[in-house]
Each structure stands twice: as C-alpha cells, then as structure tokens.
Amino acid sequence: MPLLNWKGKTLSPPAPAALVQDAFLYPGGLGYPDAPSQGRLILGDNLAVMSALLPEYEGRIELIYADPPFFTNRKFSARIGRGEDSRKPEEWQLAEGYGDSWQDLDSYLQFLYERLALMVRLLAPNGTLYLHLDWHADAYARLILDELFGSGGVFINEIIWTYHGPSPIKTAFNRKHDTILVYAKGRDYTFNTDAVREPYNPNTIATFKSSRKAGFGKIPNLARGKVPEDWWYFPVVARLHGERTGYPTQKPEALLKRIILASSNEGDTVADFFCGSGTTARVAACHGRKFITSDISVRAVHTARSRLAETERVFSLEHDSVLTPVMAESKKIRVHVSADSVRLETPLKVDFWEVDPDWDGHVFKSAVQAQRHTRSGELPLELKIKIGRKASVRLVTIQGKEYQLNIQAVANTANGL
Ligand SMILES: C[S@@+](CC[C@H](N)C(=O)[O-])C[C@H]1O[C@@H](n2cnc3c(N)ncnc32)[C@H](O)[C@@H]1O
C-alpha cells in the first residue's frame, strides 16, 4: 500500500485530558434532577479529549463524523448578536470564530493524522467514520485513512456535497463542493438503506410509467423511493435562516440527518470531536442517539449548548482541566426571585441563561434555560422555577463571556456578589 509521508510524521500516544464534570443540562427541566445523561459536550483539544475517552470508549463508538479545519489558511469569524438585518452586513457584529492557519502542510497533516488515528481506535468494529474536507486536503486524507484503516478497512464512499453561493473566483470554475470520505473497519458496518431513501425524480417515474421496456425491463419499486447517489445537494446554512447560529462553517442539519440515519441506530453513540456549532450532536439527539462532542473553542461549546438545550436529551458539560472556563461575577447582574420564578435584570447583552434551583457548589444542574431568539433577537427574562435555599444562575453574553451568580438564601432580590 502506498504511504503518505511528511516532515515530522509520528504517532506517539497523546497525554489524556483530565476531564472535569462542570454541569448537567436538563432541557426545559426534563428529567431534572435524576435522569441519566445521554450526551457529553466537552471543551478541550480533541487530541487530549479522545485520549481520555479511550479507556471507556475504545472500539465502542458506532458513528464518528469529523469536520476539521480544511487547510484553507484563513481565519473564520463568528456572527453574533442574532436578530440582525441580513441586508445590512455593515451592522453585523463579529467575534472570533476559529482559525485554520498552518505553518505548512506538514504540520496540518500531522494534526489530522494523530487525531484520525484516535478516531479509528474509538470506532466500533461495525462503526463508520465520515471525514468532511474539501479540495485543499481531501487527497492527502484519503491516503492517511487508507493507512490507518489498514488492509481490513473498507472505503465505503466518497460523497460529494454540492451547494451554491457567491464566489469571487474569475480564473477557475466556482469551487462549490466538499468531499466526505466514508470508511469502516470491516464489511459488517451499519447501513440503513430504507432510512435514507428519497423519491425518484418525476421524470424517471414518468419514463417507467410510459414504457414497460425502460430500465431494460427491470422496474424499480417507484413508491419505495431510491437510495441516494453519492453526490448530495443541500443548501448551505446561510440560506436556511431557521437553523443558522452565526458560528462559521456551520453544516446543514439535513446533511447530518442523512449520515446519522444511514450509519447509526437508535441508542447508538455518535461522536463529533470538531463540534463547532453542535450540528452533529443536535441531530443525533433529535433522533434518539447518544452523543459525544467536543471543541477547543469556548464559543463553539456555548453555541452547541444553546442548540442542545432545545432537544429532549439530558447532557453533561465537561472541560479539560487546562481549559477551565472563567466564570466572572458582576455587580451589573440582578436576579429577582419570587415563589415560582426567577427574573433577570442586567444591562449586559445576554445570549443564554439558566438556573440551578438547588446549587450544590460543585456541579451545576441546569433545570431551566432561556436563549436569545435567532431571528427576533429577543430573550426571555423570566423563567418559571421554584428555587431552594441555595440556587445559582449562569449566563453567557453575546460576546461569549460567562457569568455565575449564586443565590445564598431565599430572598426577593440577589445582586452580583
Ligand atoms: C469546520 S468547524 C466545525 C463546524 C461544525 N461541523 C458545525 O456544523 O458547526 C471546525 C471546528 O473544529 C474546532 N477545532 C479545531 N481544532 C480543534 C482541536 N484541536 N480540538 C477540538 N476542536 C478543534 C474549531 O474550533 C471549529 O469549531
């Protein structure tokens, strides 16, 4: 088998992260406070995170989707604030999203190689790995995956995801597709054909209806639909305002839905260690799968948490101890407590807030949550919840700063400490 080489190619065992359990989130109070967690959202470098997961998950994850930086040598910024007028880009508020800048191709390939090696170790014997890239590096990745999966591995598909969009290119055809490489460890991988069938093109149906000889006499089951081709058209998220978070390079839920339905079953574990805005975890949660997802960026984890809070799956928030999020305190935050609700008063531009009505001083158990509405930009400032003797409120501003306010005793008003 031909092997790809680069300067500094090596595969040394990475040091595992020390994962700290920070919070459990019960969407809308569902199952609070005892329901078991169905998902894990982890802040940390995925190399250390995956390494820490090996003892529990080696060979046990049924589906891994990976959407790493593509080697574009660009910086992607996030759009924040929500509710902004999409016709007036000069008024959009921007913040740091994530970087995709590399010293050279060697360092990028090494980055990919050591992470893909861990994904292959975590993958179940009947599991599937989807690696999403584009023309910048997909050819190199194909050789790396051939090497990591070895002679027993199966290269299932090269999926082409096509889309439209503006482009400044004048010297080549517009580059409007990504490549998703799909691999398994053996022939026994999950593939749910019927879960992803789609209707035949009306022209195909008309052809078969008009002539018994069409298709060389073999008439497909037109009502059942067909297995999609390996080229997929889904519009990019910029055009689907409903699901847009403002996080850069967010992938469409429809794309992940097809992948998850085809390559996992209910109750399976789906992982995405480059989670970004949390698309994979959200779609997995909405379809009865467990999830593990991680990102090195605090903004990505905030975005994913807000999206996951809209699902019906209880999940935990963890972080690598070297990346402990800073929980600020502020005199600008006041909460008013009544018999059955908590009301927030602050000049800060809050994006998301939540309440633990029974704060134990260690792990935050989020029983109610509110978030700024994507289109209207409005944020509910009152949450229905009965609080105990000690409670805690956490909030995240649109700039991504996180605050915590502990309410020490039953009182009508609690100020920032
Ligand atoms: C292309 S984006 C993923 C977008 C995502 N699929 C979505 O739908 O929003 C790549 C993500 O990888 C994250 N990332 C880059 N290096 C990482 C690392 N070493 N560990 C964890 N996450 C990393 C970035 O912060 C970024 O959010």
Side-chain angles (χ1 to χ4, degrees):
M1 178 191 292
L3 289 183
L4 183 67
N5 268 312
W6 57 88
K7 193 168 51 28
K9 182 176 181 181
T10 162
L11 215 47
S12 46
L19 294 182
V20 179
Q21 184 76 63
D22 180 45
F24 286 99
L25 192 146
Y26 302 81
L30 195 85
Y32 173 85
D34 303 316
S37 167
Q38 304 284 336
R40 298 174 72 168
L41 171 58
I42 306 169
L43 172 68
D45 185 326
N46 51 17
L47 193 64
V49 168
M50 286 190 279
S51 178
L53 295 175
L54 277 175
E56 194 179 344
Y57 289 97
E58 183 150 23
R60 298 189 56 194
I61 299 182
E62 281 88 3
L63 170 60
I64 301 180
Y65 168 81
D67 178 22
F70 284 8
F71 192 61
T72 59
N73 284 310
R74 281 180 55 193
K75 263 191 164 180
F76 293 92
S77 38
R79 281 192 29 208
I80 58 169
R82 304 193 188 171
E84 78 278 34
D85 187 338
S86 54
R87 293 160 302 181
K88 295 185 183 154
E90 63 285 357
E91 291 175 10
W92 298 343
Q93 294 187 63
L94 298 179
E96 195 177 315
Y98 71 91
D100 183 12
S101 303
W102 305 88
Q103 203 185 332
D104 49 27
L105 180 59
D106 303 276
S107 60
Y108 175 78
L109 294 177
Q110 181 58 28
F111 168 90
L112 215 52
Y113 183 53
E114 48 196 358
R115 285 164 178 80
L116 290 172
L118 283 172
M119 290 181 207
V120 173
R121 284 181 67 181
L122 290 165
L123 197 66
N126 65 341
T128 314
L129 172 74
Y130 285 72
L131 174 62
H132 189 144
L133 288 170
D134 73 1
W135 60 273
H136 290 92
D138 62 353
Y140 303 113
R142 173 97 185 255
L143 290 171
I144 292 176
L145 288 173
D146 282 347
E147 174 188 330
L148 292 173
F149 277 92
S151 54
V154 179
F155 175 47
I156 303 175
N157 271 129
E158 177 192 50
I159 292 166
I160 302 299
W161 169 39
T162 66
Y163 42 83
H164 289 113
S167 166
I169 289 185
K170 296 279 180 290
T171 53
F173 294 110
N174 277 342
R175 299 188 180 104
K176 293 294 167 196
H177 80 267
D178 291 1
T179 304
I180 306 174
L181 303 172
V182 188
Y183 279 75
K185 284 183 170 170
R187 300 245 150 240
D188 194 20
Y189 59 86
T190 298
F191 193 79
N192 300 316
T193 328
D194 289 339
V196 290
R197 285 186 187 278
E198 59 178 12
Y200 280 97
N201 184 304
N203 292 337
T204 310
I205 296 178
T207 308
F208 277 108
K209 285 198 171 146
S210 68
S211 161
R212 308 187 88 234
K213 290 193 179 147
F216 306 103
K218 282 191 195 149
I219 301 179
N221 185 338
L222 294 170
R224 192 176 58 165
K226 63 172 181 172
V227 179
E229 290 79 11
D230 59 2
W231 43 269
W232 303 350
Y233 176 80
F234 293 112
V236 289
V237 172
R239 291 171 184 272
L240 301 174
H241 291 267
E243 66 186 78
R244 194 188 53 148
T245 63
Y247 196 82
T249 72
Q250 179 185 343
K251 300 302 175 299
E253 289 183 20
L255 178 86
L256 269 303
K257 182 176 169 191
R258 181 171 284 176
I259 291 172
I260 287 169
L261 292 184
S263 298
S264 69
N265 295 307
E266 269 191 44
D268 281 355
T269 302
V270 175
D272 179 344
F273 298 105
F274 291 97
C275 101
S277 64
T279 313
T280 310
R282 179 182 161 89
V283 178
C286 291
H287 290 88
R289 275 68 168 165
K290 298 189 212 104
F291 64 82
I292 305 173
T293 197
S294 70
D295 204 288
I296 200 168
S297 138
V298 175
R299 180 173 301 283
V301 168
H302 285 332
T303 310
R305 170 179 40 195
S306 304
R307 290 178 89 191
L308 289 165
E310 291 171 342
T311 72
E312 295 189 345
R313 302 297 257 190
V314 178
F315 62 95
S316 67
L317 282 118
E318 296 157 66
H319 58 260
D320 184 343
S321 61
V322 299
L323 274 180
T324 300
V326 184
M327 291 284 176
E329 294 171 354
S330 170
K331 291 203 164 39
K332 290 183 180 162
I333 304 168
R334 291 165 77 88
V335 291
H336 301 269
V337 177
S338 69
D340 65 350
S341 75
V342 174
R343 189 163 55 80
L344 184 67
E345 193 188 305
T346 176
L348 299 172
K349 191 133 194 216
V350 177
D351 194 49
F352 174 91
W353 68 289
E354 57 188 343
V355 181
D356 176 346
D358 205 11
W359 168 237
D360 68 7
H362 301 288
V363 178
F364 189 93
K365 287 190 156 187
S366 169
V368 274
Q369 310 82 30
Q371 58 185 294
R372 193 170 286 280
H373 191 268
T374 314
R375 277 196 236 176
S376 70
E378 279 168 17
L379 173 82
L381 289 171
E382 185 158 356
L383 284 168
K384 290 277 167 226
I385 186 88
K386 207 173 150 65
I387 69 159
R389 225 165 51 80
K390 286 184 180 170
S392 185
V393 173
R394 280 187 178 180
L395 58 88
V396 185
T397 65
I398 61 166
Q399 279 79 21
K401 199 162 174 200
E402 200 161 1
Y403 293 87
Q404 179 156 349
L405 181 89
N406 296 331
I407 303 166
Q408 301 294 343
V410 175
N412 286 335
T413 303
N415 300 324
L417 299 173

